[in-house]
Each structure stands twice: as C-alpha cells, then as structure tokens.
C-alpha cells in the first residue's frame, strides 16, 4: 500500500493584503506567489539552500525543506517545497 498522500490545494495571503492566492495541488507555493505577481528569490528550488525563506505569520506549514532548524519551523516556511498543513496560511515575503 502506498502511504504517500497526494498534495492538496490550499490558499495563501500576504499579511498586508486581503487577497487570497490559490495554490493548486500540483504547483508549488513559490510558483503560485510568482504567478500572482510577487517577486520571490530562489536558488535550489529543492528545499536545501535557504534562499526562499519566508516568514510564516498564521497557519501551520507542512515543512519539506532541509534547512530550517526546529526552532524556526513555527515562524518560517520555504515556499519552493513546503505547503500549508491545513487549508490556508498567511505569510510575509522575506525573512
Ligand atoms: S530555493 Fe533553495 S530552499 Fe527554497
């Protein structure tokens, strides 16, 4: 049996905006932000370089990176690989 669950869609909002951005099940948070016109710096896009580090304001993240320390995981998210654990998160671009 395959225990890997398919990714789910969620939505994200920047803390200084009232607009929600939808993130489809098959796209990254990074790409959804860029498609919505936000300039997000990236490097590896595989969760290992730290370039895309973004501040997590509200909601819980499904962390899939290799760079955040445990103590940072409630405050930051790496949008190239990580997703919302629930239905929505609120972020601030940059760290
Ligand atoms: S771009 Fe390298 S961790 Fe996100």
């Amino acid at each position: 049996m395959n225990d890997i669950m398919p990714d789910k869609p969620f939505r994200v909002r920047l803390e200084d905006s009232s607009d929600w951005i939808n993130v489809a099940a098959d796209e990254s948070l990074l790409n959804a932000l860029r498609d919505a016109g936000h300039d997000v710096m990236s490097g590896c896009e595989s969760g290992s370089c730290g370039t895309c580090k973004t501040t997590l304001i509200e909601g819980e993240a499904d962390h899939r990176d290799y760079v955040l320390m445990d103590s940072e995981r409630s405050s930051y998210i790496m949008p190239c690989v990580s997703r919302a654990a629930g239905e929505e998160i609120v972020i601030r671009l940059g760290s």
Side-chain angles (χ1 to χ4, degrees), residues 5 12 15 18-19 21 24 26 39-40 46 48 52 54 56 61 66 68 74 79 82 84-85 88 91 94:
M5 299 292 288
V12 60
E15 68 168 346
S18 58
D19 296 332
I21 299 165
D26 62 351
D39 195 14
V40 186
S46 60
S48 56
C52 68
T54 297
L56 178 63
Y66 304 100
L68 289 177
S74 60
S82 297
E88 58 190 41
I91 62 171

Side-chain angles (χ1 to χ4, degrees), residues 10-92:
F10 61 97
R11 64 181 192 161
V12 60
R13 181 173 66 78
L14 271 56
E15 68 168 346
D16 59 357
S17 170
S18 58
D19 296 332
W20 288 96
I21 299 165
N22 292 311
V23 184
D26 62 351
E27 75 177 332
S28 69
L29 173 54
L30 179 68
N31 282 340
L33 290 167
R34 286 178 171 165
D35 285 349
H38 300 291
D39 195 14
V40 186
M41 290 208 324
S42 69
C44 68
E45 301 197 5
S46 60
S48 56
C49 76
T51 306
C52 68
K53 190 175 180 181
T54 297
T55 304
L56 178 63
I57 303 294
E58 284 178 37
E60 191 179 338
D62 174 8
H63 292 289
R64 301 179 181 190
D65 66 275
Y66 304 100
V67 291
L68 289 177
M69 293 182 290
D70 286 347
S71 61
E72 296 181 299
R73 290 182 175 251
S74 60
S75 305
Y76 298 99
I77 184 171
M78 311 306 289
C80 65
V81 290
S82 297
R83 308 181 63 81
E87 294 183 356
E88 58 190 41
I89 53 172
V90 179
I91 62 171
R92 178 193 311 140

